[in-house]
Amino acid sequence: APSDYLGFKSSQLSKPKVEIELDYVYGFRTKDCRNNLFLDMNNGKNNVLMYNAAALGICLNVEENSQTFLKGHKDDVISIDYHAKSGLIATGELGPKPRILIHDSKDYSTVCQLRQGVVKGVSILKFSPSGKRLAAVCINDDNSIAIFEARGDPFNGDNWNMTCITKGDRKKITCLEWISEDELLTLGKRHVKGWRFKSGTLKGSAFKPSKTCDVVVGSGVLRIRNSALVLAGAANGELQIWRSGSISSTRKNHARALDAIYARENEMKVFMTGGRDSVINFYDRTTQENIGFLNVKQEITEHSIPNRVRALELDSHTGDLFN
């Protein structure tokens, strides 16, 4: 012991008179997440990347390399979604009684906390096209699907309530997409199901999985005029284009599982897919034909940096690509 040690004092049990403030997080959760990267181009003059790590949602100012945090979770955040038109961000966590938090992207404040009905963790969160509905998939045996709805201003937390919750499937659900404000499609391991949300209830009808590959790991929605195509990435690298409950066409431009799909409307009029083969493919939004590719292995040569593609974002003004 030190020569001037005077023995144990009860005061040593008290909380130190210091405050620790989180400054920067060096990390991005990918091991059980995909398509969890979003770009906010409406936040002042600087672009902001939004993603999750540990028990946080992270908002990274790209130009300044500074971070703001979406706090309030008690366990690891494993799901995140961003509704660009409204500016709402949703984050969901692991845990027996997980929290879903809705945040305002303008000041990163918490709009509300949703806990009713969800159990064992929230693996998927998706806003409806209007941003006034939020679908959540739970990590329980039935992969339950909950629908939360804002009756009025979605920035008023008191307006958000759970409308319904129903069993999804005993098979694992890995993807959920809103086709319209009242229709959804879920995909996963030997699972494809269409859902209709009407009068506060959610009813589903099963569809046949793909014969060539029945394990879907990534998805996105391609909206062209009044139609919506669901893009599904399969475990064998196949891109499946779903229309009205069936596959209208497929593309095979990846050698391994296709995890990431970027399908949001953009000035470059493209959509992109990324896979575990470290390749990003570019497609024409109108024809859905492949128009080029990028080999990430050639761009990222540092061995300590993973080059498999789990999420994609695009700044179509500058052509900057984030993954």
Side-chain angles (χ1 to χ4, degrees):
S3 59
D4 58 350
Y5 179 61
L6 300 177
F8 179 80
K9 296 180 179 180
S10 60
S11 61
Q12 290 176 278
L13 295 174
S14 61
K15 180 181 176 181
K17 295 180 180 180
V18 294
E19 294 293 335
I20 298 175
E21 185 176 344
L22 187 61
D23 180 58
Y24 203 94
V25 174
Y26 294 88
F28 175 25
R29 189 180 182 110
T30 60
K31 65 177 182 179
D32 52 3
C33 299
R34 52 181 65 84
N35 293 313
N36 57 330
L37 179 67
F38 300 91
L39 181 65
D40 181 4
M41 294 189 290
N42 303 315
N43 203 309
K45 297 180 180 179
N46 297 328
N47 288 342
V48 175
L49 280 174
M50 297 169 289
Y51 52 96
N52 57 294
L56 296 167
I58 301 171
C59 303
L60 171 66
N61 185 312
V62 177
E63 283 75 13
E64 298 177 359
N65 194 26
S66 60
Q67 294 179 342
T68 306
F69 306 105
L70 306 175
K71 300 179 181 180
H73 287 284
K74 301 298 182 183
D75 211 321
D76 285 359
V77 175
I78 59 169
S79 55
I80 182 170
D81 194 31
Y82 170 60
H83 190 265
K85 289 183 179 178
S86 68
L88 291 172
I89 312 167
T91 52
E93 67 181 20
L94 281 170
K97 295 182 179 179
R99 293 170 172 81
I100 297 171
L101 299 181
I102 297 179
H103 318 265
D104 186 342
S105 66
K106 293 182 180 65
D107 58 7
Y108 307 117
S109 60
T110 300
V111 174
C112 65
Q113 175 180 281
L114 306 171
R115 299 186 72 178
Q116 184 183 3
V118 290
V119 291
K120 293 190 176 181
V122 181
S123 60
I124 302 172
L125 285 171
K126 288 283 179 175
F127 282 108
S128 67
S130 72
K132 292 190 174 183
R133 289 173 179 166
L134 180 67
V137 178
C138 303
I139 311 177
N140 58 350
D141 292 339
D142 295 313
N143 291 286
S144 299
I145 302 171
I147 304 293
F148 298 89
E149 193 168 12
R151 303 291 177 86
D153 181 7
F155 288 91
N156 183 343
D158 294 334
N159 291 340
W160 283 94
N161 288 288
M162 189 181 76
T163 305
C164 69
I165 187 167
T166 188
K167 293 180 180 180
D169 198 332
R170 300 290 287 188
K171 300 182 181 69
K172 187 175 182 180
I173 296 175
T174 56
C175 305
L176 179 148
E177 299 293 346
W178 289 88
I179 299 171
S180 68
E181 195 65 19
D182 304 307
E183 295 177 280
L184 304 96
L185 183 70
T186 54
L187 304 107
K189 188 175 182 179
R190 294 186 292 278
H191 166 88
V192 185
K193 208 166 187 179
W195 302 86
R196 183 169 289 278
F197 180 68
K198 187 177 181 180
S199 302
T201 60
L202 189 64
K203 294 184 178 180
S205 0
F207 300 132
K208 291 182 179 179
S210 167
K211 291 181 180 179
T212 54
C213 188
D214 58 4
V215 180
V216 172
V217 291
S219 69
V221 174
L222 189 66
R223 301 189 188 279
I224 304 172
R225 298 185 183 89
N226 296 323
S227 65
L229 303 176
V230 175
L231 307 175
N236 67 349
E238 178 182 84
L239 173 64
Q240 304 170 0
I241 302 177
W242 287 81
R243 187 198 301 268
S244 302
S246 62
I247 297 177
S248 61
S249 61
T250 61
R251 311 282 187 273
K252 186 70 166 61
N253 294 306
H254 287 280
R256 298 184 64 188
L258 195 169
D259 283 315
I261 294 179
Y262 171 86
R264 287 179 279 283
E265 189 174 347
N266 59 84
E267 293 179 5
M268 297 175 69
K269 298 181 180 179
V270 298
F271 72 87
M272 302 179 295
T273 62
R276 296 179 203 177
D277 56 0
S278 304
V279 171
I280 298 172
N281 278 294
F282 300 84
Y283 297 84
D284 183 278
R285 288 178 64 87
T286 304
T287 64
Q288 293 91 57
E289 294 300 324
N290 184 269
I291 56 175
F293 72 95
L294 174 67
N295 189 335
V296 180
K297 288 181 181 178
Q298 295 177 355
E299 304 298 323
I300 301 176
T301 56
E302 174 59 51
H303 295 296
S304 63
I305 302 176
N307 51 37
R308 296 178 183 179
V309 184
R310 299 285 284 187
L312 286 167
E313 257 297 352
L314 175 69
D315 183 342
S316 59
H317 299 307
T318 63
D320 291 340
L321 178 63
F322 304 93
N323 78 88

